[in-house]
Each structure stands twice: as C-alpha cells, then as structure tokens.
Amino acid sequence: MSKPPDNRVVDTSTRQQPAEWSEPTHGGSPSRRAGRGARGGRDARGQRRREGVGDVMVPDAEFTSYYGRQVVKPAPWEHDIAAYLFTGGVAAGSAMLAAGADLTGRPALRRVARFGSIGGLGLSVGFLVHDLGRPSRFLNMMRVVKLTSPMSVGTWILTLHGPFAGLAFAAEVADMLPEPVRRGRWAPLVGLLSRLGTPAGLVSGLTAPPVAAYTAVLLSDTATPSWHSAHEELPFVFCGSAAAASAGLAMVGTPTSQAGPARTYAVGGAVVELLAERKMEQSMGLMAEPLHQGIAGRLMRASKVLTAAGAVGALVGGRSRAVSVVSGAALMAGSLCTRFGVFEAGIASAKDPKYTVVPQRERLDRGEPVRYAPPDRRGQ
C-alpha cells in the first residue's frame, strides 16, 4: 500500500471501507487486528463489547490518521508572513487615518499617519519578498490577473494602493523641507508634490480597506482548517486589528492636541476586533481549539488583554501624553499578537489530522457535502 503525497487532501469520510474497519483504532491500524467477529453492543459507558471472544472491553476508538500523518499539508510560510499580516494592517489603517487628518486640518496627525502608511507598506513588501526568496518572484505575480486567486488580487491591490501612498508621503516630505530649499531650484517640483498630496492621500485612503481585509481572505481561502473555518469573521478581526494598531501608532507619535481622532479610531477598532474574535471562536467550533492551546493560545490571550487595556487607556487617558504613548504601544502589541496567534493556530490545525477529518465526518452525518462541487453538478 503506497502512502498518499504530502500535498493531497485525503477524503477519509467517503472512503469505502470494510464494515469491520468502520472505526479506526489507536496507532493507525484498523480494528481488523482485534479479530473478526468482533461485533457487539456498547455498555453503559459507551465502550464496545465484543461477543464470542468473552467479555473483553474495547475502549472507544481514538482518532488517528493514516500512519499518524497529517492530512493537510501546513502552509510553507515562515514568520515573515505573520509579520506581513501585521505591517499590512498598519499601512492600511494609517492611510485611512491620514486621509481623515488631512481633511480635518490636523497636520501633525497626518504626518505621523503618512509615515506609518509608507513604513508599513515598505516592510510588508520586504517581508513578502524575503518569504518568496527573491524579488523576481514578487514581480512574476504581476504577470497575470486571476480574480479567483486571493494572492493575485492582493498583489494588484497593493500595486494600486502603493503608488498613491508613496506620493502622499513624498508630498509630506516636501512640506517638511527648509524654506530656502522649497523656494530654490526645486521649487516647481516641491510645489507640484504639495498640490498632489491631498488627492493622492484620499485615493490611498479609499484603496486602504481592501489592503486591510485581503490578507484575511488569503488565509481563509486555504485548506488550513482553523483559517478556513474562520472565513466569515476573520476579515472583521483583521480590519479591527488594523485600525487599532494604526491608531496606536498615531497616539504614540502625535501630540495629544491633535490625537483625538486617533483615540476614537483606536477604541472603535479594538471593539470591532474583540467582538469579531469572540464571534469567530464561537462559530468555529472544534477548529477554535488551536486558538486556545500552545503558543497560539498564549498569543491570543495576550492580544485580548493588550487590546482591551489599550482601548481603555485611549478612552480615559484624555490629553495625558504618557497614557497616550503606553496605550498606543499596547494596541500595537495586541494587534501583533493577534496576527501571530492566528498564524500559529492555523499551522497547528493543519498538523493535527483531527481538525480535518472530524468536521468532515460531522458534515457527512448531517447530510452536507464534504467536498466542493460546481453548481451545475450539485444534486447528482
């Protein structure tokens, strides 16, 4: 008997098996080794009682997979991708905050947000290229447009968002130049950049929400159990996390006299993130277990504490500079823990075959399809 390839999802729920193999046993061997004719009822504790061999009590089967191997291959991503999820969120949230600050006449807040946007975007590209191995692989993704691929769509979202964020940053730098430079030989260029700053910042802000949300779609569109089962709530978690982190950065770098919108933004983002996380864990069922265990569990617990503490600080801190800085740092750390916690939970769920097969069997028991079928083939 040959082993299945690593990248192949094995649909164990529909595999035709002999009746005596209906329940796997510990160690990956079918219950055939227990001997033929081992059928019988169950006692009061749910244990199988064998007839004809004496009253030997067989414990309930403990699930394991074929040779104890994982059913779904874990994503081959390193922690660069988890960091990419965080910095992408900071970039998107900062772009929206900068656009709002520009429209409401808060230049200090706008400056910090624009620097945060371009800084987060630059780090995102750096982490992505490092994970891909070389820059040419990133450029290769721009050779095609594939609407059914979250990776392809995300690449083009970044391509659309990035130039406008960069132009808004350049305008901000131009406004910071000394007056002699602004009026010297570079005056026409500086003037042009200053005039383009506001429209570029607005376009950057309008294209930012897809940047904040598409990474959640990217994870949910995989076969990784904990990521895929969170597909309905994960975009809201990531968007709330992006708002909280970018507002936290603005609270750290902006004078409190202009940081009022950032504090409101921080409270709103933290509330959305915490509520969406709670709803996500309730709807995930068994697949929420990795979010509470091991490294992922510690990160998610830290995320909730830091995000809640940062939101309270933003709400009651008022114009206290020290409280603003500490609260902003807590919000950023909470968002970082959320991204790494979700990442670690997904990897852990892929390594444990239980999270692939048990839900599949539950769907089969409910009469639901266990694998995707095109609409024109459903019901056949």
Side-chain angles (χ1 to χ4, degrees):
M1 184 177 298
S2 61
K3 300 178 181 179
D6 288 343
N7 59 352
R8 176 179 166 192
V9 177
V10 180
D11 183 5
T12 58
S13 64
T14 57
R15 181 182 298 169
Q16 297 298 320
Q17 297 175 339
E20 63 270 26
W21 289 21
S22 58
E23 289 190 17
T25 59
H26 182 69
S29 300
S31 58
R32 176 182 286 176
R33 67 176 56 172
R36 295 185 182 278
R39 292 184 176 82
R42 290 179 179 271
D43 65 0
R45 294 178 299 177
Q47 292 181 322
R48 172 167 292 181
R49 175 168 50 82
R50 298 172 55 196
E51 295 176 351
V53 191
D55 291 336
V56 178
M57 305 303 294
V58 180
D60 282 339
E62 179 180 343
F63 171 76
T64 186
S65 65
Y66 188 62
Y67 285 101
R69 300 180 64 183
Q70 62 207 22
V71 179
V72 176
K73 184 178 181 179
W77 295 336
E78 302 293 339
H79 286 129
D80 291 329
I81 295 301
Y84 164 73
L85 302 177
F86 170 70
T87 53
V90 172
S94 295
M96 290 187 281
L97 193 57
D102 194 22
L103 292 176
T104 56
R106 292 179 170 84
L109 177 59
R110 182 195 65 198
R111 181 168 302 161
V112 173
R114 282 181 174 176
F115 274 73
S117 176
I118 198 66
L121 196 62
L123 288 173
S124 294
V125 174
F127 286 128
L128 184 58
V129 169
H130 186 263
D131 185 77
L132 291 172
R134 52 178 183 266
S136 60
R137 290 177 176 169
F138 177 78
L139 297 176
N140 285 339
M141 290 192 296
M142 301 175 64
R143 296 168 55 189
V144 297
V145 178
K146 190 175 181 180
L147 297 180
T148 57
S149 168
M151 178 65 80
S152 178
V153 173
T155 302
W156 284 102
I157 288 175
L158 284 176
T159 304
L160 177 63
H161 171 78
F164 293 102
L167 187 56
F169 168 75
E172 197 64 47
V173 172
D175 290 342
M176 295 171 62
L177 293 174
E179 194 64 21
V181 177
R182 290 173 54 84
R183 295 187 176 182
R185 59 185 298 187
W186 300 105
L189 178 60
V190 172
L192 178 62
L193 288 174
S194 297
R195 288 192 294 275
L196 291 177
T198 295
L202 291 176
V203 175
S204 174
L206 290 173
T207 56
V211 175
Y214 102 91
T215 50
V217 179
L218 180 66
L219 297 185
S220 303
D221 198 46
T222 65
T224 302
S226 288
W227 292 343
H228 184 72
S229 63
H231 67 277
E232 292 185 354
E233 297 87 6
L234 195 57
F236 295 98
V237 174
F238 276 17
C239 287
S241 177
S246 57
L249 176 63
M251 289 168 61
V252 170
T254 307
T256 54
S257 59
Q258 294 190 20
R263 291 193 291 270
T264 304
Y265 196 44
V267 174
V271 169
V272 170
E273 179 184 350
L274 293 174
L275 291 178
E277 274 184 11
R278 182 177 178 81
K279 178 70 170 58
M280 179 181 73
E281 293 176 5
Q282 291 175 344
S283 67
M284 288 172 66
L286 177 65
M287 257 66 68
E289 273 189 2
L291 290 169
H292 303 283
Q293 299 173 348
I295 296 175
R298 291 193 290 273
L299 287 169
M300 294 304 291
R301 287 191 291 273
S303 163
K304 293 172 183 174
V305 172
L306 288 168
T307 302
V312 171
L315 189 64
V316 304
R319 292 178 177 268
S320 169
R321 180 66 180 148
V323 174
S324 182
V325 171
V326 172
S327 301
L331 288 166
M332 294 185 69
S335 176
L336 184 66
C337 290
T338 297
R339 307 308 176 106
F340 274 80
V342 170
F343 179 84
E344 292 287 351
I347 298 298
S349 70
K351 291 180 178 178
D352 191 338
K354 174 179 69 175
Y355 298 116
T356 302
V357 177
V358 172
Q360 199 174 54
R361 290 180 174 176
E362 291 176 348
R363 290 195 295 273
L364 191 63
D365 291 341
R366 294 194 297 266
E368 299 176 359
V370 295
R371 58 175 62 173
Y372 174 77
D376 58 337
R377 295 185 180 179
R378 292 176 186 173
Q380 295 181 0

